[in-house]
Amino acid sequence: MKLHNAAILLLFWFGVFTVHADKGSSSSEVMRKFRCVNLSTRQLNIQNLVKYEKQQVPTDAIMFVTTGGIRICVSANQKWVQAAIKRIEERRAAKPN
């Protein structure tokens, strides 16, 4: 019975250490964040855009994500960009939680 309890305790501590080590990993956060460096000059099809993110560093831009998961950066001050953002927000508001 003591061996059984020791094995359970060992598995518990191993699980705690694994979760703690994973949360402390700084490389996972670096890989997850994308930055706009080059901006596309083409107008995108608004129907294919599912979300966006505003960025100011290193340049003022909007990063759109397409239905296929492709990230495309464009200049934030274009008229069609503002229309696309509005459309995404309307879809998000209409979507049931």
Side-chain angles (χ1 to χ4, degrees):
M1 188 67 165
K2 287 184 181 182
L3 181 61
H4 177 68
N5 289 342
I8 291 174
L9 187 60
L10 180 65
L11 287 173
F12 171 78
W13 281 112
F14 180 72
V16 169
F17 175 74
T18 303
V19 170
H20 178 70
D22 186 49
K23 286 189 177 213
S25 174
S26 62
S27 64
S28 61
E29 290 186 30
V30 172
M31 293 301 289
R32 195 173 23 181
K33 192 68 174 173
F34 294 93
R35 297 275 183 216
C36 291
V37 178
N38 297 321
L39 302 180
S40 174
T41 56
R42 295 177 42 191
Q43 182 171 340
L44 305 175
N45 184 350
I46 294 175
Q47 303 291 345
N48 295 334
L49 306 176
V50 292
K51 57 185 174 178
Y52 71 94
E53 179 182 318
K54 295 180 181 181
Q55 295 189 353
Q56 294 178 330
V57 177
T59 184
D60 191 22
I62 302 292
M63 179 191 301
F64 286 114
V65 179
T66 67
T67 53
I70 299 170
R71 300 172 191 279
I72 303 169
C73 296
V74 296
S75 176
N77 60 5
Q78 298 180 57
K79 195 172 189 175
W80 74 267
V81 171
Q82 299 308 315
I85 290 172
K86 184 178 178 184
R87 176 79 182 255
I88 292 169
E89 290 297 329
E90 288 171 352
R91 276 191 253 153
R92 187 177 295 160
K95 192 176 194 180
N97 291 330

